[in-house]
Amino acid sequence: MSIEFGRKDGELILILAPERIYASKILDVLNTKGKWMISHSFTVTKQNFRSEDAEQNELRFCIGTVYDEYTLVDNSVIGTTHNFYFSNTINLKKQYFVAYRNISILSKIDQVVDNDVYIGGNNKMGCIPFETFKLLIKKFPKTAELDYYAHARIATIIKEVFPYAEEHEARFNQFLEKQDNSLSLIFSINHQTLLQENAAIELSQFSAIRNRLAELLDQEQCISEQIWQEQIHGILRLLYPKYLAGIREIAIKGVDRHDKRPDFLLVDANGYVDILEIKKPSVQLLTKQSSYRNNYVPVRELAGAIQQVEKYIYCLNTWGREGEQELQKQLSHKLPEAITLKIVNPQGILLLGRSKEFTLQQRTDFELIKRQYKHIAEILTYDDLVQRINNIISALSKETSIK
């Protein structure tokens, strides 16, 4: 029995050429019994019938609808609960529907999914890449696998009486190992493709924020501190993806009875809170001339900013359980319902100043300062930020170019 498919006038047409029966006989059955099953995979009725070619002994049935991007197969024809869509770029063939021994492929898939299925085309939810679908077709059990499996099951039961039978279990395991190696190779290729696609998306994002950061640094003097902080906060969120929220100027109970308001309270995916302080690039970091024993030391602005972050963290730790409850009350409408806020050894991120003009000695001394406070806060300059973004872009560029 020959089965072919075509798309015409918005319809998916199944072209049936029976080998041992005249097409007219099938039409007689449709007229009397109302339906005809094709290869145990398609059930057509008189309503599906479109035309007969008596000379070629062919019948044409409409079994689906062709839309702009996808072709929907009529689930009453293929006997599925969910809808199945094939990309219009796919040249449909019998083996995409009917497996060995007339097993309906789509009905088997239907039993293990909980949504409509899209095959090929874009990467929407429920979409099976066409290469993966072809792999599935290739892996449907055939005679050899069924025989190996049957022999292995029998051997499991009788091997105590007939020790030779145990060889069949080993043969079945060897067969599965060969199948797994082939499968792993194809999945590895598909996985690499997916990684490259994700890298391309990230590359576009980080290229955009690098350009945006360059614009901000050029226009620093013209931007108010509040707008500056909001813009930079958006950039930092991409560099620190573990944080799902950054809430501006939340009141923290101070140990001196005065509330503290850090620039941003950061909340990670597990509900733990940290502090983010953003100062402008114009903030001076080190003394312009080396002082004590030829060392550069922090100027008042840098020391003050570090002390400010330390005080916020101290206040959070002192606030403890009461603070967790108060913050939960303040922020519940801004966070997912499943998130419970926790104050457990919070850390700080401090962004300020420029470092690209530092001498080697200044770089060394500034690094020593940063390491001194590393257990409390990560101290970054705007040039550190630029370099980090450049490094990420460089790595993503290489990843997207791997063949």
Side-chain angles (χ1 to χ4, degrees):
M1 179 182 296
S2 169
I3 297 175
E4 295 181 357
F5 299 90
R7 295 178 175 91
K8 183 178 180 181
D9 298 330
E11 293 185 335
L12 173 62
I13 303 297
L14 183 152
I15 305 167
L16 173 64
E19 294 177 353
R20 299 180 183 178
I21 187 174
Y22 288 113
S24 58
K25 294 292 185 182
I26 296 176
L27 289 179
D28 291 341
V29 173
L30 285 176
N31 287 324
T32 56
K33 296 186 177 181
K35 62 181 180 180
W36 179 268
M37 181 166 281
I38 304 170
S39 297
H40 297 279
S41 300
F42 306 94
T43 302
V44 293
T45 66
K46 193 172 182 180
Q47 284 69 38
N48 299 114
F49 175 69
R50 288 295 180 266
S51 64
E52 176 188 9
D53 186 335
E55 184 175 337
Q56 297 294 327
N57 196 37
E58 291 180 347
L59 296 174
R60 287 172 169 75
F61 298 93
C62 171
I63 63 163
T65 306
V66 180
Y67 296 104
D68 290 341
E69 295 183 42
Y70 285 91
T71 296
L72 169 64
V73 185
D74 188 341
N75 56 8
S76 67
V77 172
I78 55 177
T80 61
T81 301
H82 303 96
N83 292 321
F84 282 79
Y85 297 82
F86 283 87
S87 170
N88 290 340
T89 61
I90 298 174
N91 182 22
L92 296 176
K93 302 176 182 179
K94 178 180 177 180
Q95 60 262 39
Y96 298 161
F97 297 89
V98 185
Y100 179 72
R101 294 180 178 174
N102 285 335
I103 297 173
S104 172
I105 294 170
L106 300 188
S107 67
K108 292 297 183 185
I109 297 175
D110 185 57
Q111 294 172 27
V112 298
V113 300
D114 58 0
N115 287 300
D116 293 345
V117 177
Y118 292 79
I119 299 168
N122 58 44
N123 294 320
K124 65 172 68 180
M125 182 68 71
C127 173
I128 302 176
F130 186 45
E131 291 301 317
T132 303
F133 181 72
K134 288 195 293 185
L135 172 64
L136 183 152
I137 302 300
K138 181 180 179 181
K139 294 300 176 181
F140 252 78
K142 298 181 174 63
T143 302
E145 183 173 352
L146 294 173
D147 288 345
Y148 277 124
Y149 176 72
H151 294 162
R153 287 296 301 273
I154 295 169
T156 301
I157 298 169
I158 67 172
K159 65 182 179 182
E160 295 299 327
V161 181
F162 300 96
Y164 173 78
E166 193 170 357
E167 291 188 8
H168 289 283
E169 287 186 291
R171 291 174 186 172
F172 180 58
N173 289 331
Q174 290 173 356
F175 175 82
L176 290 180
E177 287 178 5
K178 291 180 181 178
Q179 296 294 94
D180 288 343
N181 288 338
S182 172
L183 191 64
S184 297
L185 176 60
I186 296 175
F187 276 142
S188 175
I189 295 171
N190 288 341
H191 180 64
Q192 184 61 44
T193 300
L194 180 60
L195 287 178
Q196 286 183 292
E197 291 174 351
N198 289 339
I201 295 172
E202 291 186 53
L203 179 59
S204 175
Q205 289 178 323
F206 280 99
S207 296
I209 67 168
R210 179 173 64 180
N211 294 338
R212 180 57 183 153
L213 180 56
E215 291 175 0
L216 288 171
L217 291 174
D218 286 341
Q219 302 169 14
E220 175 197 353
Q221 303 301 325
C222 307
I223 302 174
S224 69
E225 185 174 19
Q226 180 174 345
I227 293 176
W228 177 272
Q229 290 177 340
E230 289 173 353
Q231 292 286 318
I232 296 299
H233 166 253
I235 291 173
L236 289 174
R237 288 282 298 278
L238 269 178
L239 290 173
Y240 295 89
K242 74 172 186 174
Y243 295 113
L244 54 82
I247 300 95
R248 187 173 180 81
E249 294 187 343
I250 291 296
I252 296 174
K253 183 179 179 181
V255 293
D256 56 0
R257 298 184 180 180
H258 295 289
D259 287 347
K260 310 300 179 186
R261 294 181 180 273
D263 292 338
F264 293 91
L265 186 77
L266 302 176
V267 182
D268 73 13
N270 295 312
Y272 295 100
V273 299
D274 290 321
I275 297 295
L276 170 62
E277 278 292 299
I278 299 173
K279 308 297 183 184
K280 279 205 164 185
S282 55
V283 170
Q284 188 179 343
L285 302 175
L286 302 176
T287 53
K288 293 184 178 180
Q289 301 295 327
S290 59
S291 54
Y292 182 71
R293 294 188 178 179
N294 294 320
N295 292 317
Y296 292 89
V297 296
V299 298
R300 183 178 178 181
E301 287 179 288
L302 174 57
I306 294 173
Q307 186 177 20
Q308 186 180 27
V309 173
E310 286 184 293
K311 184 171 286 188
Y312 291 151
I313 291 173
Y314 177 72
C315 290
L316 277 174
N317 281 324
T318 304
W319 205 8
R321 179 60 181 163
E322 178 192 346
E324 291 175 346
Q325 295 173 346
E326 178 60 29
L327 290 174
Q328 190 77 40
K329 187 189 303 182
Q330 290 187 53
L331 305 180
S332 59
H333 65 290
K334 296 184 177 181
L335 299 171
E337 291 183 6
I339 294 295
T340 301
L341 292 177
K342 308 174 190 71
I343 300 174
V344 180
N345 193 26
Q347 300 291 295
I349 300 173
L350 174 60
L351 175 64
L352 74 175
R354 305 297 297 266
S355 57
K356 66 178 180 179
E357 303 297 335
F358 278 179
T359 65
L360 180 60
Q361 183 63 46
Q362 286 176 315
R363 289 183 186 280
T364 301
D365 290 347
F366 186 60
E367 184 62 30
L368 288 172
I369 295 167
K370 291 199 293 183
R371 288 177 180 272
Q372 181 182 352
Y373 295 98
K374 195 168 186 179
H375 64 292
I376 297 173
E378 180 178 10
I379 303 172
L380 293 169
T381 70
Y382 284 89
D383 297 299
D384 293 332
L385 188 60
V386 171
Q387 186 59 52
R388 186 173 296 189
I389 294 172
N390 285 337
N391 290 343
I392 291 172
I393 289 173
S394 179
L396 290 172
S397 296
K398 288 184 178 180
E399 193 170 341
T400 56
S401 64
I402 294 174
K403 300 298 183 183

